[in-house]
Amino acid sequence: MVQISIPMPVAAIVCKSGRFDLTDGVAMKSAVKRLMSEKRPIHSLVSNAGIIFNALFQITTEQVLRQQFEVNFFSLFNFTQSVSKLMVRQKQGSIVNISSTAAQDGYSGKSAYGASKAAVIALTESTAAELG
Amino acid sequence: MGIRANCIAPGITSTDMLQTLSPSIIEATCNQTDLRRLGSPLNIADTAVFLISDLASHITGQTIWMVVYDEPGACVIMKAFWEPGHHGNAIAAINDWGETLSYRELYSTVSRLVVRLQARTLLFLLCDNSFGSLVGYLACLNARAVPLMLDKAIAPELLQQLMERYRPGFIWHQTMDHTSLDSDPIRVLWTRS
């Protein structure tokens, strides 16, 4: 009987959490600064935050539309932009954005949400082309 | 520059967002998907881990569609404030003649009225116990107009006095003919110039 010993990989994983309002530009910038001061490589960024408003197109207010884009798209855009600068410096990184099937499928009541999620896909494709 | 960027597009997922929906809608939506079940946040996390990892080192600029619906628009998660998570075909109201109004019909009629109303204007609602009063009132709330419910059989002299005093922006009048909902329920009889 042959015994095969497989060396177990040993990994030291340190988890730290930070918390800030994504729509608050100042808080976002200081969070990025904290990340930079850590002087550890950033391997990946997963943008998961999102909100949803359901309303028929004709009764969707501009305020709701802007709030929807503020969280689902603008904050993601700004945060990705800041973090990608660090990734470009280290010439390595992986960005994963969470969109939705609503971006493509045209569900009733999802004009604002679907548009914000479709914007995320377009942003991801351009980011991939520019930073690849 | 060595950076990869990818997208995950999940469908209906078991999160706190779903707590506002009725179980029947969630089930109906799940049954429209290829896998016939609700996605879990872990499914999304697993996919994210894959995309981040070196296993996906040659994948960039892609979108992973995690759920495929049988037909576009099949996912019914539409929910307005007056709609407690019902399917569009569910009955929203029954009138004195025993006719029914579905939620989908209610949305469309309310929406058609809402686009004509202006915010903060006074609207006189001359309605009886009909779909008209429901549609008019909901449209007012959605357009941020101010509704004033009046009996349809109000004395003309009193109506005249009220109109001179309050100068309403719109008057909403549902006709006697209850079948008019099928044709055009919107009758703004008089608009202040």
Side-chain angles (χ1 to χ4, degrees), chain B residues 88-155:
Chain B
N89 291 329
I91 294 168
I94 301 173
N95 69 6
D96 292 346
W97 299 274
E99 289 177 334
T100 59
L101 184 72
S102 73
Y103 277 100
R104 187 168 290 121
E105 288 167 329
L106 185 62
Y107 298 146
S108 68
T109 49
V110 168
S111 305
R112 281 155 66 196
L113 181 56
V114 162
V115 293
R116 298 197 188 188
L117 297 179
Q118 287 161 11
R120 293 185 294 282
T121 51
L122 182 65
L123 178 119
F124 277 16
L125 286 150
L126 291 166
C127 299
D128 53 9
N129 188 19
S130 67
F131 295 150
S133 51
L134 183 67
V135 167
Y137 188 65
L138 290 175
C140 262
L141 294 182
N142 273 283
R144 291 173 178 78
V146 184
L148 182 67
M149 309 294 269
L150 296 169
D151 188 351
K152 198 174 68 175
I154 189 172

Side-chain angles (χ1 to χ4, degrees), chain A residues 51-113:
Chain A
I51 53 170
I52 187 164
F53 285 110
N54 296 323
L56 288 176
F57 167 66
Q58 286 184 306
I59 56 178
T60 299
T61 60
E62 192 186 341
Q63 185 195 5
V64 161
L65 179 67
R66 287 187 186 280
Q67 204 179 349
Q68 185 78 82
F69 266 78
E70 193 63 48
V71 176
N72 289 10
F73 182 68
F74 294 130
S75 68
L76 182 146
F77 189 105
N78 289 333
F79 195 61
T80 307
Q81 198 173 47
S82 302
V83 172
S84 70
K85 281 176 191 159
L86 304 177
M87 287 178 170
V88 166
R89 214 173 291 165
Q90 66 200 26
K91 292 192 168 43
Q92 184 233 13
S94 174
I95 297 163
V96 175
N97 295 324
I98 309 292
S99 178
S100 166
T101 49
Q104 202 182 36
D105 282 357
Y107 307 139
S108 163
K110 296 226 178 324
S111 52
Y113 179 77

Side-chain angles (χ1 to χ4, degrees), chain A residues 43 92-94, chain B residues 2 4 48-59:
Chain A
H43 180 239
Q92 184 233 13
S94 174
Chain B
R4 298 182 294 108
V49 167
F50 165 70
L51 286 174
I52 286 167
S53 74
D54 289 342
L55 292 173
S57 60
H58 217 62
I59 299 175

Side-chain angles (χ1 to χ4, degrees), chain A residues 93 95 97 99 101 107 131-132, chain B residues 1 3-4 6 8 10 69 77:
Chain A
I95 297 163
N97 295 324
S99 178
T101 49
Y107 307 139
L131 303 181
Chain B
M1 283 183 245
I3 294 165
R4 298 182 294 108
N6 293 289
I8 302 171
Y69 292 99
I77 322 185

